[in-house]
Every structure is written in structure tokens, then in C-alpha cells.
Amino acid sequence: MDNLLEKLNEQQRKAVMHTEGPLLLLAGAGSGKTRVLIHRMAYLIEECGVNPYNILAITFTNKAAGEMRERVDSIIEVGSESIWVSTFHSLCVRILRRYIDRIGYENNFTIYDSDDQKQVVKEVMKRLDIDTKFIKERRALSAISRAKDELITPEEYCASAGNDRERAVIGRIYREYQSQLKKCNALDFDDLIVKTIELFKTNADVLNAYQERFKYIMVDEYQDTNTAQFGLISLLASKYQNLCVVGDDDQSIYKFRGANINNILQFEQVFEDTTVIKLEQNYRSTQNILDVANAVIKNNTYRKEKALWTENKEGEPISLRSFDNGFDEANGIARDIKSKVSVKNIKYSDCAVLYRTNAQSRTFEESFIRENIPYRIFGGINFYQRREIKDILAYLKTIDNAHDDLAVRRILNVPKRGIGAATVSRIMEYAVENDITFYNAMLHVKDIPSIGKAAAKIEAFTYMISSFRSKSTVMSLKDLVIDIINETKYIDYLKEIDEDEDDTNEREQNLDEFISKAVTYEDGAENPNLSEFLEEVALIADIDSMDGSDAVTLMTLHSAKGLEFENVYLVGMEDGLFPSYMSITSDDSTDLEEERRLCYVGITRAKKYLTLSHARMRMMRGETTYNKVSRFVKEIPVELMFSDSGARKSLARDFEMPSPKRENPVKKRTSYVMYDTVFDKPASAGSLGYAVGDTVKHVKFGVGTVTDIVNGGRDYEVTVDFETAGVKKMFATFAKLVKM
């Protein structure tokens, strides 16, 4: 253990060795937080004698949980398999599978994905005769999700509506939506956490059992937790208080998903006697990049003070590129990537283009195709959202849980069985009238009036499902999937509906990949079963599907969090685009601060090379717009940037050049002054036309007194004490000061 601790820096060692009571680790980007968590687990087991069975580690994605599991197993020789390493949702699924019957559900509940949820809301709104022109389905579902994130029940939501008609209508939808899910024995993703909290609050013995089980709890990416997740963790940790949360408030960028930054900012107020340890040493980026990140994020007021530093090389200045339009921007970035791959000896996969919105990817795709640059877009259609995969999953869901009305109805006529919409409508009416599921209504098809000849087709379908269900008890998952595809003649169905043979071939390849997934699951599962397999599929996030091919990554800034690249481009750095127009005009100042945190996240993805780019003119929503350079760019000391002449001209119009504030406590660094022949340095200080003590005028800051003039190498740095703007440092060439 001593050898392991020697590999940690001083703050990391403090974090590892602090084992009792609440602990808040403020871990800056690239500061080795996962290393700390792994070593802390090892320290608890090997030095403190803690039973691995009593340790719970929670993170947000399956990918992160898998990586943590691998690292735990590699460093802890005995007992690592007893540690629960899990996502929030996976943890709750395991608990609910065992105890959800205590709150009125069956233990083989189905997990609804986003498409399933939309379908339920659509049907609910139709049943309640709610005009979608007044309330959009997506808006209703978003409001329901936010309510669950805040642990607001349908009854509480309705009661709080008051005279707000929209809220009252959404409350009705919410109430009926939950009723429908209950009838189908289904939970959505938000319910997984909400229902676990409900279980704990209504069953003290169950809560106590898990409190005893998880005496030491560690939560990664704590800044991304919502109110419900905070409530879950608070319940689990309330008995022993041995809760260690790791996060960075400067990287809290998921407010739109319900993340509550107050969970980390106010952690010490909620958990008394909290110890706070800051991890500020960065192991990822050059000092230049970190200085840029520090300069931007310090402009936020709603944060905990910290500054990243590194023992890495100082590195190159970041590059600021200015282009006439968005197409030129994409072409310029494409050429720069090819140049770096050739000259800097980096791979395409070392490069990432990060943008604020998905719509920005189009021009880069076109440019990359023209330049023959391999690329991949991250955040496209998830594998499990493809039609052919969802169809087979619907069969598996129906076999596992016939209460799932959505799954049953999806496959009732896939492949086509001649069961018309009128027949489906009659079955649904019968189900509603008798308060039973759609599938149970089909089992009583002969009792449904006017069903006619369709009864035989329905009976054939239910017999087929019953047969598959029997086979599932003796077949492997692989054989079951193959049997479903063969028995339903699903490939023939694809050939009928696809106009292009290539589309069918691609779908067949996807089905082959799904079969491989089933095999991989069975090979790795201790007790493989259909329910668990469906859970694993449902919990897979987009980020889990990233491959290792040598291609440039195109992705949104939100998707980039947690990743790192040698060479990063932050494109579209313009006010109105990034930061967004909505955040600039918002009455809530925290919206702009979140945009700044998003910029900070983008900057700190870069290891060696960072380029910021903006276009003077851009086509948006079919119209040409002219935007100023992003205010975030203007917050970066010019000494840290290498700018092309166009970028310098854009900045010179309304941007003074402040001296960089030293954030690094370890070492000093060289300042870079970026000019070309467009801006010639004055021959001497005397040729400036003013001297120390003179009164001068600046176009923006007004009248002031020159207090200092320093030779900066390629220009003179002038310090002026302005009457209204205070003390400013600027370069003479840009300042254009006029003696009064």
C-alpha cells in the first residue's frame, strides 16, 4: 500500500487516507479523481480492515462504471468482486428487482425507454382529449421528468398548479401517465430512482439493510446529480455518514437534464463536519491550456475557488482563428487537421471538433468528405434505437413481461399478420373497460364484440408468444433471438419493407451484432437471464458505443465531458452561438455561467493543442447573421493566444489586453505576444506620443493617466489609471491612446 500511496500527490494522499465522515473532493479536470477513488477503496480494505462487501461506488455511465470495475480489480487483490460498482440506475434496478413488490409492482417490471415514454404520453393525451397544439407531447414529458427529478408526485404537481392552466393540464397527463405505467408494470428511467426512494421511505427494514450493506459510499461526478439522486444517496448515507463525493462545480453542465449544482456547492451545509479537499494538479494538459481555462472560469461568481496547475510542459499558445463564414471555418479546420496529422505526427483519432449545437456538424462533414478525412459523429442514432433492434427487443420484452402494452402492440403486426387498426382499437377499448392489460385482453379475444375473423389471428399470435416463453426457459438467449427471427420470418419482412437491398443487408448486420451482444452478455453473466439482459440493454448510454477507429471525432460540447484529445477545436466561438442567445438574454444569470462552464469543459479536453475559431458571418436558420467574437474568447489574456490577423482585428475593436494572472503556484512561464507585420511595434517608447505621467484618452475607457510603460519585446505594455474604468494594462499598438 505504501508503494501505491507514493504514486499520489499530497492532496490525493489526504483524500485516500481520510476515511471517516463526509468528504467533499473538489476534483478539477484531469486531476486523477478516478485514481483517488480506486486507491481509497484499496486503502479502506487493506489498511482499515473494511469488508469490501460494505463499499459502494456510484458513477453515471456504464462505460465509467466498467472502467472503474477493471481498475478496482487490478489494484485490489482480494475481495474486489464484492464491491458494488454501479450507475445510479443500475443500483436502483438491483434493489427494485428484489423489493419492488413491497410498493405494489411485480418484480419482473419493464423499463421504458424514451420512445416508449413518448408513445404512452401520446396515448394519454389522446385519451384525455388534450390538444397537442396547446401542449406538445415532448413538453409534457419533459415537465413530468423534471417533476420526478425534484421528487414531485402527480398529486403534488396538480395541487401546485393554481391558476396556471398549462401546469394543470400537464398535471392531468402526469397522473394518467403514471397510472398507465403502473398498469403495464413498467417504470421509466426517472422512476427507477423515485421508486427506490419510495421503497426506502415506506420500508424501514429495507433501508436499514442497505445502510448496513453500504457503510462506505463514494459518488463520482457529484456535480451532475439531481435532487432525486441526492435524496437517494442521503438516505443510504444517513446512518454512518461515511459519504465521499467527488466532483467539480466548474464542470456542472447538465442543468437541462435536471442536474442541481447546489448539491455540490452546499454539500457542507447538508452534511455537518464535512472535510473539503481540492485536487488542482492536472495531469492532462499543458500549462498554457490550463491558464486559458482558469482565465475563463474565474469570471463565474457561483463557484468554489480553485485553479488548475500542472508539472507538464508549458506547451504552445492556443490558436485563435477567424474566418469569413462557416464554410471557410470548416475548410480551415479540415486543412489544419491534415497538417497536424502530417507535421505533428498525430492520428486522426487524436483530433476532436467540439461545437455548441448538433446542427454545426454539417459543414464539417462536407469538408471532411472533400478532404478525405475519416470522421465519426458522436451522438447519432443509438444502436438500440434502430427499428430492427427495437422490434426484436419488443419480442423479448413481451416474452419476459406481457404486461408491457407498448411492446406487445409494436410487434402485433410485425411482420404483417393482417391485424388491422380497427381490431387493435377494439382490443384496447376492451382492455380499458375491464381495467386489464392489452395482452390479457387478447387472451379473451373471443369475448370481444365484433372481433370477427381477426380472433383466429390474435390467438395465433398469443400462442406464438406462449411458445417463445416456454422455449426461453431452456434456450440460450442467442438461440432464442435466432428462433424469433426465423419463426417470424423477420428477414423476409425486412426485404418487403426496404426499397434498397443495401438497407436490408445493413439491418441483417445489425441483427447479427445484436446476437453477438446476447452471446457476450451470457458469457459474462453469473446467472444469465432474459430480464437482466433487457436491463443491461436499457441502461446502455450513447457514450458506451464509441469505437477506437482512427477518425476525427465530431461532437457537441456536452457530449465531450469526460473525454480527452491531443488536438481540440472549439468552433463557432461567437456571441449568440456560444454562449447561446438564450443564455445571453436570460433573466437568470446562472444560465450564462453554465455556458461558461461548458466552455471550460471544452478547453480542458485538450492535452497539447487547442484551437478556438469563429466566423464573422454565418448562415443560421436560412438567414445570414453577423456575430461578435464570443465573450469567452475576450476573457482570455492575449498573451496565451496565437491569433491570425483576422482574429486580431476582430478582437482589437473592443478588447483590451490584460496581463495574465499567475495561477500556477509551481513555476513561472513565458508570456507570448502575438502579432504579425500588420501591427508593427513602435520604434521606441518615445515614439508613442505620450510618456509616464501624461493624460491620455482611450476610445472605450475614456480619460486616464499613464502610470507605466514596459518594453514587452514586440510591443510596449502601457498601464493607465482611467478615471472611470480603473487601472488597465494594454499593448500600445492595440490601445491607440491619444495624448490630451
Side-chain angles (χ1 to χ4, degrees), residues 294-312:
N294 290 331
V296 171
I297 200 62
K298 71 180 182 181
N299 291 281
N300 273 3
T301 57
Y302 203 47
R303 65 184 291 261
K304 291 181 178 291
E305 186 64 33
K306 69 186 88 65
L308 297 177
W309 60 275
T310 186
E311 292 181 347
N312 293 340

Side-chain angles (χ1 to χ4, degrees), residues 656 690 694-706 718-728 730 735-740:
E656 82 278 14
Y690 51 82
D694 286 344
T695 300
V696 294
K697 185 176 182 179
H698 184 269
V699 66
K700 179 178 180 180
F701 302 118
V703 177
T705 302
V706 178
V718 183
T719 302
V720 182
D721 186 357
F722 290 101
E723 294 175 358
T724 57
V727 177
K728 301 287 183 182
M730 57 196 76
K736 295 183 172 59
L737 297 171
V738 178
K739 184 177 179 180
M740 299 290 290

Side-chain angles (χ1 to χ4, degrees), residues 396 399 464-487 518-519 521-522 527-531 533:
L396 293 175
I399 293 166
M464 179 187 66
I465 295 299
S466 178
S467 175
F468 284 143
R469 187 171 293 138
S470 297
K471 292 177 181 179
S472 70
T473 62
V474 295
M475 277 185 171
S476 67
L477 269 174
K478 170 189 174 183
D479 291 337
L480 178 62
V481 172
I482 292 174
D483 192 57
I484 292 170
I485 294 171
N486 292 338
E487 286 294 317
V519 172
Y521 160 75
E522 289 187 302
N527 296 299
N529 61 78
L530 180 54
S531 294
F533 174 70

Side-chain angles (χ1 to χ4, degrees), residues 325-361:
N325 54 59
F327 296 102
D328 287 350
E329 179 186 43
N331 291 333
I333 298 301
R335 289 192 295 270
D336 193 69
I337 289 173
K338 294 196 80 169
S339 174
K340 281 192 169 68
V341 169
S342 174
V343 177
K344 301 289 187 181
N345 197 31
I346 64 175
K347 298 182 294 185
Y348 285 118
S349 58
D350 292 328
C351 304
V353 177
L354 309 181
Y355 35 75
R356 182 63 182 84
T357 65
N358 273 310
Q360 292 171 254
S361 72

